Amino acid sequence: MSNNKAALITGITGQDGAYLSKLLLGKGYDVYGVLARRSTDTLWRLRELGIDQEVRLLDGDLTDLSSMIRAVETSKASEVYNLGAQSFVGSSWQQPLLTAQVDGVGALNVLEAVRIVNPKAHFYQASTSEMFGLIQAEMQDEKTPFYPRSPYGVAKLMAHWATVNYRESFGLHASSGILFNHESPLRGIEFVTRKVTDAVARIKLGSQKELRLGNVDSKRDWGFAGDYVEAMWLMTQQAEADDYVVATGQTTTVRDMCEIAFEHVGLKVEDHLVIDPKFFRPAEVDVLLGNPAKAQDKLGWSPKTSLRELITMMVDADIRRLSK
């Protein structure tokens, strides 16, 4: 057995799971990940970061409490990060019950597993700015009331309050990171930033002519996932568990984000962007803007990567992928 600290990550094959794994491995942790078996290849992000052979994968699923208990027992983890979710907001209207089971009840399963097996472990819950939804304050912080506008936001709100409840009821070191939109070259193609950078790369390389989007006037606070996973780790290192907004404190429209991407490859957004009504959502979140003052003050965390740096990094990565 290794003498290193051990961490257990649900959602290890996702964007955040891959970056968090790399961060923890660099700090000398033994990293275990819960792997929900799928017929498709889900390990590409870990491979892209060159760490697929360094993490230890355990079969399990957030909807199966027994597998979560086994994962906490097997890993002997002193830190448990619940990043697993059905995380595409758009799909949550088509699959509301699945989203509730995975994102809401799933988080409860992990909390129960920690409480039963190792209540001294430090727990991190991936909360989301989508819980703010129809915003109740111009800039959202830890005290802003929630008003979710999607089944995804509703399910995540359940998980968030369950985390607070287990902290207050059972004394668990359970923290929530209320993360605003965070992107990277490892982002899934269904998310708007990656949909944009992939399309820009294809248009530049001549294999596509247009980019079809819905509401390009909605505003988001976008940061780099590689910066945000550091905030997750810092939360589990604190003497007391708490909830923190993790954001850049700047908001940008989808249209402006598209302009950055097209400009980077010498193209004009208006020549290629097509607004398609089928991409509009039943209930839209118009603006999200996070106030990361508490994370800066108490965790000493602040974002390092600007939106322009992030989008150009993503476009370059997509051009490299497609050129292969």
Side-chain angles (χ1 to χ4, degrees):
M1 276 297 290
S2 159
N3 291 322
N4 298 343
K5 276 178 91 170
L8 175 66
I9 303 172
T10 71
I12 194 169
T13 58
Q15 165 189 263
D16 295 7
Y19 280 114
L20 180 61
S21 296
K22 185 165 185 171
L23 177 78
L24 295 175
L25 287 165
K27 294 180 182 295
Y29 282 70
D30 291 333
V31 177
Y32 292 82
V34 175
L35 182 66
R37 293 288 169 186
R38 300 286 183 263
S39 55
T40 51
D41 172 31
T42 57
L43 300 178
W44 67 271
R45 294 181 177 89
L46 297 171
R47 267 201 306 279
E48 196 149 314
L49 294 182
I51 57 172
D52 54 309
Q53 300 302 311
E54 294 181 59
V55 298
R56 306 169 196 201
L57 299 173
L58 307 171
D59 286 345
D61 195 290
L62 283 172
T63 59
D64 177 38
L65 174 60
S66 64
S67 68
M68 289 298 107
I69 289 173
R70 270 195 300 279
V72 177
E73 280 176 340
T74 303
S75 63
K76 297 188 166 45
S78 58
E79 294 169 19
V80 177
Y81 298 86
N82 182 37
L83 312 184
Q86 187 299 98
S87 59
F88 188 46
V89 178
S91 292
S92 73
W93 276 280
Q94 271 66 54
Q95 300 177 305
L97 300 183
L98 173 80
T99 303
Q101 283 295 327
V102 175
D103 300 11
V105 178
L108 207 49
N109 284 337
V110 186
L111 282 162
E112 268 296 276
V114 170
R115 185 179 74 86
I116 291 164
V117 178
N118 181 11
K120 288 192 164 53
H122 289 196
F123 173 83
Y124 170 84
Q125 167 60 21
S127 287
T128 168
S129 58
E130 289 288 328
M131 300 187 310
F132 292 120
L134 188 63
I135 56 171
Q136 305 296 297
E138 196 175 321
M139 205 172 193
Q140 298 88 57
D141 63 19
E142 296 79 8
K143 292 186 167 63
T144 305
F146 298 117
Y147 194 138
R149 297 270 280 171
S150 64
Y152 169 76
V154 171
K156 279 289 198 175
L157 192 52
M158 174 190 168
H160 177 78
W161 282 119
T163 302
V164 173
N165 186 252
Y166 271 59
R167 182 167 74 220
E168 295 176 352
S169 301
F170 305 114
L172 291 194
H173 192 294
S175 296
S176 278
I178 306 172
L179 270 58
F180 280 66
N181 298 62
H182 47 292
E183 317 297 320
S184 77
L186 301 184
R187 197 43 140 162
I189 202 80
E190 67 275 20
F191 290 87
V192 68
T193 46
R194 180 76 200 294
K195 183 179 176 181
V196 168
T197 62
D198 178 74
V200 166
R202 288 174 191 276
I203 291 166
K204 179 64 179 175
L205 295 171
S207 65
Q208 190 171 317
K209 286 197 166 60
E210 60 186 30
L211 163 63
R212 303 184 82 84
L213 293 176
N215 180 11
V216 294
D217 297 316
S218 66
K219 292 180 172 181
R220 291 293 180 273
D221 181 330
W222 279 298
F224 173 45
D227 294 343
Y228 284 34
V229 296
E230 194 182 340
M232 299 177 187
W233 176 75
L234 286 166
M235 284 177 221
T236 63
Q237 308 312 301
Q238 302 305 303
E240 301 286 331
D242 207 345
D243 306 320
Y244 296 89
V245 162
V246 179
T248 68
Q250 296 179 317
T251 192
T252 312
T253 64
V254 174
R255 188 187 296 277
D256 287 343
M257 184 264 293
C258 292
E259 273 181 12
I260 293 170
F262 277 104
E263 188 184 287
H264 181 57
V265 295
L267 297 172
K268 288 186 173 171
V269 67
E270 57 268 22
D271 295 340
H272 304 281
L273 178 62
V274 177
I275 305 301
D276 188 335
K278 84 171 182 199
F279 292 116
F280 282 81
R281 291 172 175 172
E284 188 60 70
V285 174
D286 297 317
V287 184
L288 289 172
L289 173 59
N291 179 359
K294 182 176 171 182
Q296 288 171 351
D297 182 40
K298 291 199 170 179
L299 303 177
W301 179 87
S302 56
K304 301 181 180 77
T305 311
S306 72
L307 179 62
R308 186 168 293 276
E309 288 167 333
L310 170 63
I311 297 302
T312 55
M313 176 203 314
M314 290 174 68
V315 171
D316 290 344
D318 278 324
I319 287 175
R320 273 197 305 278
R321 283 188 191 114
L322 294 164
S323 299
K324 282 180 186 170

